[in-house]
Amino acid sequence: MARSLAQSHEELQSQAGRQARTVTLTTGRTLARTVVADWLVRLQPLLQGGELCVRTRALADTVAMLERNEADFSLVYHHPALAIRLDARQFTHITVASDRLVPVSRATAQGQARFRFDASDSAPLPYLAYAPTLALGRLVEDHLAHHPLAPRLQRVVECDSADAHYEYVQKGLGVAWLPWSMVHADCAAKRLAPAGDARLEVRFDVRLYRPKRRLGPMAEAFWSALAQR
Protein backbone atom coordinates (compact mmCIF):
# COMPACT_ATOMS: atom_id res chain seq x y z
CA MET A 1 0.00 0.00 0.00
CA ALA A 2 2.85 2.37 0.87
CA ARG A 3 4.52 1.70 -2.48
CA SER A 4 1.20 2.16 -4.30
CA LEU A 5 0.53 5.47 -2.52
CA ALA A 6 4.05 6.69 -3.27
CA GLN A 7 3.66 5.77 -6.93
CA SER A 8 0.27 7.54 -7.12
CA HIS A 9 1.80 10.61 -5.50
CA GLU A 10 4.65 10.66 -8.02
CA GLU A 11 2.20 10.27 -10.90
CA LEU A 12 0.07 13.15 -9.61
CA GLN A 13 3.14 15.35 -9.21
CA SER A 14 4.27 14.47 -12.72
CA GLN A 15 0.82 15.25 -14.13
CA ALA A 16 0.65 18.55 -12.24
CA GLY A 17 4.09 19.48 -13.55
CA ARG A 18 3.08 18.66 -17.11
CA GLN A 19 -0.11 20.70 -16.78
CA ALA A 20 1.92 23.68 -15.55
CA ARG A 21 4.03 23.45 -18.72
CA THR A 22 1.06 22.92 -21.06
CA VAL A 23 -1.06 25.56 -22.78
CA THR A 24 -4.38 24.40 -24.24
CA LEU A 25 -5.77 26.49 -27.09
CA THR A 26 -9.06 25.83 -28.81
CA THR A 27 -9.69 27.35 -32.24
CA GLY A 28 -10.94 26.67 -35.76
CA ARG A 29 -9.05 24.71 -38.40
CA THR A 30 -8.32 27.74 -40.58
CA LEU A 31 -6.96 29.83 -37.69
CA ALA A 32 -4.85 26.86 -36.59
CA ARG A 33 -3.29 26.84 -40.04
CA THR A 34 -2.69 30.60 -40.31
CA VAL A 35 -2.45 32.55 -37.04
CA VAL A 36 -1.38 29.67 -34.78
CA ALA A 37 1.24 28.51 -37.28
CA ASP A 38 2.81 31.98 -37.17
CA TRP A 39 2.76 31.91 -33.37
CA LEU A 40 4.54 28.56 -33.23
CA VAL A 41 7.45 30.01 -35.19
CA ARG A 42 7.60 33.27 -33.22
CA LEU A 43 7.10 31.80 -29.74
CA GLN A 44 9.45 28.83 -30.01
CA PRO A 45 11.78 30.13 -27.25
CA LEU A 46 8.82 30.56 -24.89
CA LEU A 47 7.52 27.06 -25.56
CA GLN A 48 10.86 25.37 -24.87
CA GLY A 49 10.22 22.75 -22.22
CA GLY A 50 6.47 23.13 -22.61
CA GLU A 51 3.72 22.13 -24.99
CA LEU A 52 0.98 23.95 -26.88
CA CYS A 53 -2.06 21.70 -27.27
CA VAL A 54 -4.24 22.93 -30.14
CA ARG A 55 -7.80 21.63 -30.32
CA THR A 56 -9.81 22.52 -33.44
CA ARG A 57 -13.55 22.87 -33.11
CA ALA A 58 -16.51 24.80 -34.53
CA LEU A 59 -16.89 28.34 -33.19
CA ALA A 60 -19.57 27.52 -30.61
CA ASP A 61 -17.57 24.54 -29.36
CA THR A 62 -14.38 26.55 -28.90
CA VAL A 63 -16.25 29.00 -26.68
CA ALA A 64 -17.99 26.19 -24.78
CA MET A 65 -14.65 24.50 -24.03
CA LEU A 66 -13.34 27.74 -22.57
CA GLU A 67 -16.44 28.11 -20.39
CA ARG A 68 -16.06 24.51 -19.15
CA ASN A 69 -12.40 25.14 -18.19
CA GLU A 70 -11.26 22.62 -20.81
CA ALA A 71 -8.96 25.17 -22.45
CA ASP A 72 -6.81 28.09 -21.34
CA PHE A 73 -7.56 30.14 -24.44
CA SER A 74 -10.03 30.38 -27.30
CA LEU A 75 -8.93 31.93 -30.59
CA VAL A 76 -11.93 33.03 -32.66
CA TYR A 77 -13.10 35.34 -35.43
CA HIS A 78 -14.73 38.60 -34.39
CA HIS A 79 -17.34 40.26 -36.61
CA PRO A 80 -20.82 41.73 -36.02
CA ALA A 81 -22.31 38.75 -37.88
CA LEU A 82 -20.80 36.33 -35.36
CA ALA A 83 -22.24 36.34 -31.87
CA ILE A 84 -19.70 35.46 -29.13
CA ARG A 85 -21.48 35.33 -25.78
CA LEU A 86 -18.92 35.21 -23.00
CA ASP A 87 -19.53 36.76 -19.59
CA ALA A 88 -17.34 39.88 -19.44
CA ARG A 89 -17.13 39.45 -15.66
CA GLN A 90 -15.32 36.13 -16.10
CA PHE A 91 -13.48 36.44 -19.43
CA THR A 92 -11.32 38.98 -21.20
CA HIS A 93 -9.75 39.20 -24.66
CA ILE A 94 -7.19 40.87 -26.88
CA THR A 95 -7.27 41.41 -30.65
CA VAL A 96 -4.30 39.52 -32.10
CA ALA A 97 -4.82 39.90 -35.84
CA SER A 98 -6.91 41.44 -38.59
CA ASP A 99 -7.63 39.71 -41.87
CA ARG A 100 -10.07 39.76 -44.75
CA LEU A 101 -11.92 37.24 -46.87
CA VAL A 102 -11.11 37.83 -50.53
CA PRO A 103 -13.00 36.26 -53.45
CA VAL A 104 -10.31 34.48 -55.47
CA SER A 105 -10.12 32.36 -58.59
CA ARG A 106 -7.43 30.43 -60.37
CA ALA A 107 -5.36 32.79 -62.51
CA THR A 108 -4.99 32.62 -66.27
CA ALA A 109 -1.63 32.59 -68.02
CA GLN A 110 -1.89 36.39 -68.11
CA GLY A 111 -2.33 36.56 -64.32
CA GLN A 112 -6.02 37.51 -64.47
CA ALA A 113 -8.78 35.74 -62.56
CA ARG A 114 -10.28 32.92 -64.58
CA PHE A 115 -13.67 33.80 -63.08
CA ARG A 116 -14.22 37.55 -62.69
CA PHE A 117 -17.21 39.46 -61.39
CA ASP A 118 -16.71 42.28 -63.90
CA ALA A 119 -16.60 39.98 -66.94
CA SER A 120 -18.92 40.86 -69.81
CA ASP A 121 -20.52 37.41 -69.70
CA SER A 122 -23.62 37.73 -67.50
CA ALA A 123 -23.77 34.02 -66.62
CA PRO A 124 -23.48 33.30 -62.89
CA LEU A 125 -20.01 32.28 -61.73
CA PRO A 126 -19.36 28.89 -60.09
CA TYR A 127 -19.34 29.49 -56.36
CA LEU A 128 -17.53 27.36 -53.78
CA ALA A 129 -19.64 27.91 -50.67
CA TYR A 130 -18.89 27.22 -47.03
CA ALA A 131 -21.23 25.06 -44.99
CA PRO A 132 -23.47 27.17 -42.74
CA THR A 133 -21.92 25.56 -39.65
CA LEU A 134 -18.62 27.28 -40.45
CA ALA A 135 -17.96 30.78 -39.10
CA LEU A 136 -16.41 31.85 -42.40
CA GLY A 137 -19.57 30.73 -44.17
CA ARG A 138 -21.75 32.94 -41.99
CA LEU A 139 -19.48 35.90 -42.69
CA VAL A 140 -19.67 35.44 -46.46
CA GLU A 141 -23.40 34.76 -46.60
CA ASP A 142 -24.17 37.78 -44.40
CA HIS A 143 -21.95 39.93 -46.62
CA LEU A 144 -23.57 38.79 -49.85
CA ALA A 145 -27.09 39.09 -48.45
CA HIS A 146 -26.57 42.77 -47.60
CA HIS A 147 -24.31 43.82 -50.49
CA PRO A 148 -25.99 45.99 -53.15
CA LEU A 149 -23.46 44.83 -55.77
CA ALA A 150 -23.46 41.13 -54.90
CA PRO A 151 -22.45 39.13 -57.98
CA ARG A 152 -24.51 36.39 -59.58
CA LEU A 153 -23.26 33.08 -58.26
CA GLN A 154 -24.09 29.43 -58.92
CA ARG A 155 -23.34 27.18 -55.96
CA VAL A 156 -21.41 24.17 -57.23
CA VAL A 157 -19.77 22.93 -54.02
CA GLU A 158 -20.53 23.31 -50.32
CA CYS A 159 -17.81 22.32 -47.87
CA ASP A 160 -16.93 23.00 -44.24
CA SER A 161 -13.19 23.36 -44.88
CA ALA A 162 -11.33 26.44 -46.10
CA ASP A 163 -8.35 24.18 -46.87
CA ALA A 164 -10.52 22.14 -49.22
CA HIS A 165 -11.83 25.26 -50.95
CA TYR A 166 -8.25 26.43 -51.38
CA GLU A 167 -7.51 23.24 -53.30
CA TYR A 168 -10.70 23.54 -55.34
CA VAL A 169 -9.80 27.10 -56.35
CA GLN A 170 -6.31 25.98 -57.33
CA LYS A 171 -7.90 23.41 -59.65
CA GLY A 172 -10.04 26.08 -61.32
CA LEU A 173 -13.40 24.86 -60.03
CA GLY A 174 -14.80 28.28 -59.14
CA VAL A 175 -14.63 31.30 -56.84
CA ALA A 176 -14.23 31.08 -53.07
CA TRP A 177 -13.85 33.68 -50.33
CA LEU A 178 -10.57 32.76 -48.64
CA PRO A 179 -8.53 34.50 -45.92
CA TRP A 180 -5.93 36.81 -47.40
CA SER A 181 -3.40 35.35 -44.96
CA MET A 182 -3.89 32.03 -46.75
CA VAL A 183 -3.76 33.19 -50.38
CA HIS A 184 -1.61 36.33 -50.56
CA ALA A 185 1.51 34.40 -51.61
CA ASP A 186 -0.43 32.63 -54.39
CA CYS A 187 -1.81 35.94 -55.63
CA ALA A 188 1.67 37.49 -55.62
CA ALA A 189 2.92 34.50 -57.64
CA LYS A 190 -0.08 34.84 -60.00
CA ARG A 191 -1.32 31.34 -59.31
CA LEU A 192 -4.54 32.87 -57.96
CA ALA A 193 -6.14 36.27 -58.54
CA PRO A 194 -8.90 38.32 -56.89
CA ALA A 195 -12.22 37.87 -58.68
CA GLY A 196 -13.53 41.31 -57.68
CA ASP A 197 -12.53 44.59 -56.11
CA ALA A 198 -12.14 45.48 -52.42
CA ARG A 199 -15.86 46.21 -52.03
CA LEU A 200 -16.57 42.48 -52.05
CA GLU A 201 -14.01 41.67 -49.35
CA VAL A 202 -15.09 40.84 -45.81
CA ARG A 203 -12.89 42.31 -43.08
CA PHE A 204 -12.73 40.73 -39.63
CA ASP A 205 -10.58 40.59 -36.51
CA VAL A 206 -9.17 37.64 -34.63
CA ARG A 207 -9.56 37.65 -30.85
CA LEU A 208 -7.91 35.60 -28.15
CA TYR A 209 -10.16 34.98 -25.12
CA ARG A 210 -9.13 33.78 -21.67
CA PRO A 211 -10.59 33.53 -18.15
CA LYS A 212 -9.83 36.43 -15.84
CA ARG A 213 -8.66 34.01 -13.14
CA ARG A 214 -4.96 33.30 -13.00
CA LEU A 215 -3.73 30.51 -15.27
CA GLY A 216 -0.63 28.33 -15.08
CA PRO A 217 2.85 29.87 -15.47
CA MET A 218 3.27 28.79 -19.09
CA ALA A 219 -0.21 30.03 -20.04
CA GLU A 220 0.39 33.40 -18.36
CA ALA A 221 3.71 33.77 -20.19
CA PHE A 222 1.96 32.88 -23.45
CA TRP A 223 -0.69 35.55 -22.85
CA SER A 224 1.90 38.19 -21.91
CA ALA A 225 3.94 37.52 -25.04
CA LEU A 226 0.89 37.99 -27.28
CA ALA A 227 -0.49 40.98 -25.37
CA GLN A 228 2.81 42.84 -25.87
CA ARG A 229 2.99 42.32 -29.64
Side-chain angles (χ1 to χ4, degrees):
M1 287 179 65
R3 284 196 300 269
S4 178
L5 286 172
Q7 182 178 0
S8 298
H9 180 66
E10 290 176 359
E11 290 174 353
L12 287 172
Q13 283 187 318
S14 176
Q15 183 177 1
R18 181 178 180 274
Q19 288 176 343
R21 299 189 305 273
T22 299
V23 178
T24 303
L25 170 72
T26 179
T27 188
R29 283 175 291 180
T30 305
L31 288 174
R33 174 182 172 177
T34 55
V35 174
V36 178
D38 289 339
W39 285 353
L40 287 171
V41 174
R42 184 157 56 91
L43 300 179
Q44 273 186 325
L46 174 66
L47 296 172
Q48 290 295 327
E51 181 181 12
L52 177 63
C53 295
V54 182
R55 303 287 182 260
T56 59
R57 300 287 190 277
L59 177 61
D61 293 333
T62 66
V63 174
M65 288 181 67
L66 189 68
E67 292 177 315
R68 294 194 300 263
N69 295 323
E70 295 174 4
D72 299 307
F73 303 105
S74 180
L75 182 70
V76 297
Y77 299 112
H78 173 69
H79 185 276
L82 302 174
I84 302 294
R85 295 184 177 89
L86 281 170
D87 190 342
R89 296 169 298 180
Q90 299 182 50
F91 300 94
T92 186
H93 72 270
I94 53 176
T95 299
V96 295
S98 295
D99 205 346
R100 63 189 194 272
L101 289 168
V102 179
V104 292
S105 163
R106 181 175 176 174
T108 64
Q110 294 73 38
Q112 301 296 316
R114 179 177 176 183
F115 302 107
R116 295 168 47 199
F117 297 148
D118 59 352
S120 57
D121 186 357
S122 61
L125 298 182
Y127 172 41
L128 309 174
Y130 293 112
T133 54
L134 204 65
L136 294 181
R138 299 203 292 277
L139 287 181
V140 175
E141 294 304 319
D142 175 79
H143 184 64
L144 292 175
H146 296 92
H147 201 297
L149 301 177
R152 295 183 62 202
L153 300 170
Q154 174 65 50
R155 294 169 70 100
V156 294
V157 174
E158 181 185 285
C159 184
D160 64 354
S161 168
D163 286 342
H165 278 329
Y166 173 76
E167 295 297 331
Y168 302 156
V169 169
Q170 293 271 16
K171 296 182 184 303
L173 298 178
V175 174
W177 269 258
L178 291 170
W180 185 245
S181 57
M182 181 185 289
V183 300
H184 67 90
D186 292 284
C187 289
K190 299 188 182 303
R191 291 185 291 269
L192 302 178
D197 59 31
R199 291 175 296 179
L200 286 167
E201 298 176 356
V202 187
R203 296 184 178 274
F204 60 88
D205 291 329
V206 180
R207 286 183 174 182
L208 183 68
Y209 284 85
R210 62 160 289 175
K212 286 186 175 179
R213 62 177 173 79
R214 185 153 186 86
L215 302 173
M218 182 70 74
E220 290 293 346
F222 182 84
W223 174 265
S224 297
L226 294 173
Q228 295 169 5
R229 58 183 286 276

